[in-house]
Amino acid sequence: MDRNCQPSGSGKFLTDLANFIPTVEQLECPAVIVLSGDRVEGLSREAHHQSCVENLKRASEIADKKNLTLLLENIDQEENPKYYLTSVAEGFEIIRQVNHPRVKFLYDFYHEQISEGNLIAKLEKNIAQVGLLHIADVPGRHEPGTGEINYASIYRKLAQLDYRGYVAMEFKPASDPVASLRSAREEALRAIRGT
């Protein structure tokens, strides 16, 4: 779902969400990722932000009736220079302002490392707003351990914070996909167990 931070895209965003519900129900998905959409030329940052809050508040009514969670995702400017929501800090603030249990934040560590870094402090401060985590390493978006992000520390912090949500491996395997996924899973489990 796209365009939720664009005032002119409000109706389309809500219509697209409502039209997507039958597919979500058929697939038995508990959550849907929503995107802010691209910045609108001439529209202030404050107007984008407020539009995102208001549209997610309206969308939360649809989601609540269907037992569905909406997950707002950040994307870095290198991947999409036009995308509005590049800051995890702002994303968490939007979620706090929406203030609905059916609207959470999809914290994508890959995008945030490229945008602003300081991953663990933001996780610790905002864990109550997290609905899903995306895992990939920087650079290259490959599996954990191939780049600069210390995922073992992140996994240990998640265990300390008693995070009970999903962690999605959203990386491009540098080698065999099954072996890469298996290895990433084992690395996470080892870090959590402290072995």
Side-chain angles (χ1 to χ4, degrees):
M1 302 288 111
D2 201 348
R3 301 182 186 171
N4 101 59
C5 288
Q6 300 174 356
S8 63
S10 173
K12 179 160 177 30
F13 169 67
L14 296 173
T15 299
D16 286 350
L17 177 60
N19 290 340
F20 192 54
I21 297 288
T23 302
V24 170
E25 291 174 331
Q26 185 177 9
L27 295 173
E28 299 177 9
C29 291
V32 171
I33 297 170
V34 295
L35 303 174
S36 70
D38 293 343
R39 290 183 311 278
V40 176
E41 190 69 36
L43 191 64
S44 72
R45 187 140 195 101
E46 295 77 23
H48 278 95
H49 181 98
Q50 195 54 41
S51 179
C52 198
V53 170
E54 293 306 317
N55 289 336
L56 284 171
K57 282 182 178 181
R58 285 190 217 111
S60 71
E61 296 169 14
I62 296 169
D64 200 33
K65 290 176 188 169
K66 297 297 183 176
N67 238 7
L68 181 67
T69 299
L70 303 176
L71 302 164
L72 179 62
E73 183 175 15
N74 61 301
I75 296 178
D76 67 87
Q77 285 191 309
E78 285 183 28
E79 184 165 308
N80 183 349
K82 296 178 181 180
Y83 191 72
Y84 170 69
L85 187 60
T86 59
S87 168
V88 164
E90 182 175 6
F92 283 126
E93 183 56 32
I94 288 168
I95 300 305
R96 275 192 280 283
Q97 289 176 5
V98 172
N99 192 28
H100 195 285
R102 290 282 173 200
V103 181
K104 295 285 186 180
F105 193 69
L106 188 169
Y107 190 171
D108 190 309
F109 292 112
Y110 170 82
H111 290 305
E112 183 60 4
Q113 178 65 8
I114 292 170
S115 293
E116 298 177 356
N118 201 17
L119 305 176
I120 291 176
K122 291 172 189 166
L123 176 67
E124 192 169 25
K125 181 180 176 187
N126 300 289
I127 193 68
Q129 284 78 40
V130 173
L132 176 65
L133 300 166
H134 274 180
I135 306 294
D137 219 332
V138 175
R141 193 183 273 230
H142 298 301
E143 53 268 52
T146 60
E148 65 194 32
I149 300 176
N150 185 341
Y151 274 107
S153 292
I154 290 171
Y155 298 143
R156 284 191 296 273
K157 181 54 71 177
L158 288 168
Q160 290 171 3
L161 296 171
D162 198 30
Y163 177 70
R164 300 285 180 179
Y166 287 100
V167 176
M169 299 295 172
E170 194 196 36
F171 59 78
K172 298 181 222 169
S175 58
D176 176 72
V178 174
S180 294
L181 282 169
R182 192 171 286 132
S183 177
R185 179 182 182 273
E186 290 306 313
E187 176 192 343
L189 292 173
R190 272 193 309 277
I192 290 168
R193 292 179 189 136
T195 57

